[in-house]
């Protein structure tokens, strides 16, 4: 049973707008190998078409896979997945399959066959790499276009996050550094200008 | 009296690592005019030297000023500043000085003379634009190098955010969309892998 429901592409940027730490998934060109890494550095760059930027070091195994396959996934881990999120960010996938090592269940994305994680996560975005050599080489910044997205209906409905005390284990996490994260907290509403 | 203390450059990325919504400040080339805007889309891209990326639409008045002056500031608003943060993101600075309109106090940065905001904010970073025409034109993504940074010692000490119930008005805010923000919540510590 899955709580994931499709997110309309015009709402995809909302999934990352508040700056959660994410898991970036990738695969080899032939699809035989796969990888994932944790990343605190990502952001939307355009609403429509939905485009995002992620930072992946050129020494990372994920970077090699993303460039050779032209595809990646962004999965948004929930508070209940904090230990795994930190663990996958602390080892390299060059030697072994981190999904197997950490018992992470992944399903292939519909169009690009990148692994997507629903158990432990509350949203995912399937992305096509938009090659941009200057930014990639100088700033390790990779742009992507979102082809499809989905989120856990218990915490994201009608294009909006709905964080409440009752679903605290499903809140997003935001890395401060060294294994310390903040959980998305109470919702504040700004006065209309 | 200010609670702001310098942040070591090697810790500058920590100020943005958890994805807060920020205010981007700018000035005209001659320094006679100034502007600010709210931005949910920013991220670090490198630890050392500290470099960041921000998204500023090419139609925005701030974008013109950033490109002509080669400088910008990033100020991190606190929960107590939520109404002003939302308000400055809702009007253009082409017609009037938003600092005056919204009674925002700014001080010029030491090196690049960009306006920096301490009242209502808990951190700032003074940045030099790193021109990168491809990313700027295609994705409105502007890279910058951090020349100096500071943070409110009541909530950032020894290179780390320290969000607690006692300083809730100083917590960072993270825009969900349409004037709804989450406040940085409780700190969770991941198990060492």
């Amino acid at each position: 049973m899955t709580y994931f429901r499709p997110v309309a592409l015009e709402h995809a940027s909302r999934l990352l707008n508040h700056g959660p730490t994410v898991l970036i998934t990738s695969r080899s060109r032939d699809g035989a190998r796969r990888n994932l890494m944790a990343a605190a550095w990502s952001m939307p760059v355009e609403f429509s078409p939905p485009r995002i930027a992620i930072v992946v070091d050129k020494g990372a195994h994920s970077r090699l896979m993303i460039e050779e396959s032209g595809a990646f996934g962004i999965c948004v881990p929930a508070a209940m997945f904090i230990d795994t999120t930190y663990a996958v960010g602390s080892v390299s996938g060059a030697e072994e399959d981190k999904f197997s090592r950490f018992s992470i269940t992944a399903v292939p994305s519909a169009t690009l066959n990148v692994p997507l994680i629903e158990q432990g996560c509350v949203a995912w975005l399937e992305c096509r790499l938009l090659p941009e050599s200057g930014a990639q080489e100088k700033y390790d910044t990779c742009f992507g276009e979102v082809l499809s997205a989905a989120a856990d209906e218990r915490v994201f409905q009608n294009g909006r996050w709905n964080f409440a005390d009752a679903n605290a284990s499903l809140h997003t996490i935001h890395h401060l550094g060294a294994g310390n994260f903040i959980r998305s907290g109470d919702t504040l509403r700004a006065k209309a200008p």
Side-chain angles (χ1 to χ4, degrees), chain A residues 20-35:
Chain A
T21 290
V22 300
L23 298 169
I24 295 172
T25 58
S26 54
R27 63 164 172 87
S28 56
R29 188 193 300 267
D30 65 5
R33 286 167 299 118
R34 57 188 181 168
N35 197 20

Side-chain angles (χ1 to χ4, degrees), chain A residues 4-53:
Chain A
F4 274 64
R5 298 289 175 266
V7 170
L9 285 180
E10 67 263 33
H11 295 151
S13 68
R14 301 262 183 83
L15 298 172
L16 303 179
N17 205 67
H18 64 306
T21 290
V22 300
L23 298 169
I24 295 172
T25 58
S26 54
R27 63 164 172 87
S28 56
R29 188 193 300 267
D30 65 5
R33 286 167 299 118
R34 57 188 181 168
N35 197 20
L36 83 162
M37 59 175 275
W41 300 353
S42 76
M43 63 179 182
V45 302
E46 198 167 323
F47 292 105
S48 181
R51 290 174 173 162
I52 50 79

Side-chain angles (χ1 to χ4, degrees), chain A residues 23-124:
Chain A
L23 298 169
I24 295 172
T25 58
S26 54
R27 63 164 172 87
S28 56
R29 188 193 300 267
D30 65 5
R33 286 167 299 118
R34 57 188 181 168
N35 197 20
L36 83 162
M37 59 175 275
W41 300 353
S42 76
M43 63 179 182
V45 302
E46 198 167 323
F47 292 105
S48 181
R51 290 174 173 162
I52 50 79
I54 58 175
V55 179
V56 181
D57 190 88
K58 54 181 72 57
H61 189 60
S62 294
R63 174 73 173 269
L64 187 73
M65 286 198 174
I66 291 169
E67 293 191 344
E68 76 171 40
S69 68
F72 57 93
I74 297 177
C75 305
V76 182
M80 60 180 163
F81 214 50
I82 184 176
D83 292 339
T84 305
T85 299
Y86 190 51
V88 301
S90 308
V91 299
S92 170
E95 304 292 323
E96 60 181 323
D97 182 295
K98 287 198 265 185
F99 294 89
S100 300
R101 173 166 171 180
F102 296 109
S103 304
I104 297 169
T105 303
V107 293
S109 71
T111 304
L112 298 174
N113 192 34
V114 288
L116 297 173
I117 303 164
E118 296 193 346
Q119 287 178 33
C121 290
V122 285
W124 53 250

Side-chain angles (χ1 to χ4, degrees), chain A residues 103-190:
Chain A
S103 304
I104 297 169
T105 303
V107 293
S109 71
T111 304
L112 298 174
N113 192 34
V114 288
L116 297 173
I117 303 164
E118 296 193 346
Q119 287 178 33
C121 290
V122 285
W124 53 250
L125 305 91
E126 175 188 22
C127 303
R128 176 175 70 84
L129 178 68
L130 299 168
E132 183 59 36
S133 59
Q136 284 173 224
E137 287 311 304
K138 286 187 230 168
Y139 306 118
D140 288 332
T141 299
C142 303
F143 294 94
E145 181 160 335
V146 181
L147 301 188
S148 65
D152 188 319
E153 64 178 353
R154 293 173 295 177
V155 73
F156 190 91
Q157 300 122 12
N158 303 317
R160 298 187 182 285
W161 288 109
N162 178 23
F163 300 116
D165 289 348
N167 60 19
S169 68
L170 300 176
H171 288 207
T172 54
I173 54 177
H174 305 245
H175 197 213
L176 296 175
N180 292 305
F181 294 78
I182 56 149
R183 188 206 307 262
S184 56
D186 53 325
T187 300
L188 307 175
R189 179 154 185 78

